[in-house]
Amino acid sequence: MDAAKVRELVNDPRRVGVMATTNRAGEPNAAVFGSPYMPDDHTLVMGLGETRTAQNLLETSRAVFLSVLPADNPVETQGVRIYLKVRTLEKEGPNLEAVKDRIRKAAGDRAAARVRYAVFFDIESTRPLIDWGPGSKDPLT
């Protein structure tokens, strides 16, 4: 997918975001998150509390983020699957404070107070949310 379109889908405030991770044993976890955003075409940033997602990232450093813009007709739903690897997971410092400030502005003090980590991911690859199969063209692009 085009990097500008991926960034637009992730940074749209109307989107629903789901982060999927696994632990070392391969046990899956998925959770809804509002904090992820893309400051550039190669990075996804998010704030995390002491959660199963954070623990899984500490163990495996891999995740998939789904960014979904629902539509009345499911076939018209827009979205992207983003395959990620943790670049850095920070427990203190200016990056953590910046992530907390961003969350505070969007979701309030209580949400920001839960944040314990600023996570910076490298985007390894992307795929459309709805995969029309090999050789097929997404009718919405």
Side-chain angles (χ1 to χ4, degrees), residues 15-21 29-34 36 46 53 63-68 80-82 84:
R15 66 104 168 109
V16 175
V18 178
M19 181 72 69
T21 60
N29 181 62
V32 173
F33 287 98
M46 72 182 297
T53 298
V64 177
F65 182 68
L66 304 179
S67 183
V68 182
V80 62
R81 295 178 269 180
I82 305 172
L84 305 164

Side-chain angles (χ1 to χ4, degrees), residues 125-138:
S125 64
T126 62
R127 293 182 63 202
L129 181 66
I130 300 172
D131 189 347
W132 296 97
S136 297
K137 181 169 173 18
D138 180 342

Side-chain angles (χ1 to χ4, degrees), residues 63-86:
V64 177
F65 182 68
L66 304 179
S67 183
V68 182
L69 277 172
D72 290 336
N73 178 345
V75 174
E76 294 174 358
T77 295
Q78 296 181 56
V80 62
R81 295 178 269 180
I82 305 172
Y83 297 83
L84 305 164
K85 182 173 183 180
V86 173

Side-chain angles (χ1 to χ4, degrees), residues 33-132:
F33 287 98
S35 71
Y37 68 97
M38 289 178 60
D40 61 53
D41 291 346
H42 309 286
T43 306
L44 185 118
V45 179
M46 72 182 297
L48 282 175
E50 293 292 347
T51 63
R52 187 176 294 172
T53 298
Q55 184 59 46
N56 287 351
L57 291 172
L58 287 166
E59 290 182 16
T60 68
S61 77
R62 300 272 186 192
V64 177
F65 182 68
L66 304 179
S67 183
V68 182
L69 277 172
D72 290 336
N73 178 345
V75 174
E76 294 174 358
T77 295
Q78 296 181 56
V80 62
R81 295 178 269 180
I82 305 172
Y83 297 83
L84 305 164
K85 182 173 183 180
V86 173
R87 178 187 312 154
T88 184
L89 196 144
E90 300 180 19
K91 289 188 79 166
E92 61 185 15
N95 287 330
L96 176 60
E97 294 309 313
V99 167
K100 284 183 172 185
D101 287 343
R102 184 179 177 93
I103 291 170
R104 185 175 292 109
K105 289 175 185 165
D109 290 335
R110 288 183 60 185
R114 292 186 184 112
V115 175
R116 298 288 179 262
Y117 303 98
V119 187
F120 291 76
F121 295 94
D122 289 321
I123 296 173
E124 294 191 318
S125 64
T126 62
R127 293 182 63 202
L129 181 66
I130 300 172
D131 189 347
W132 296 97

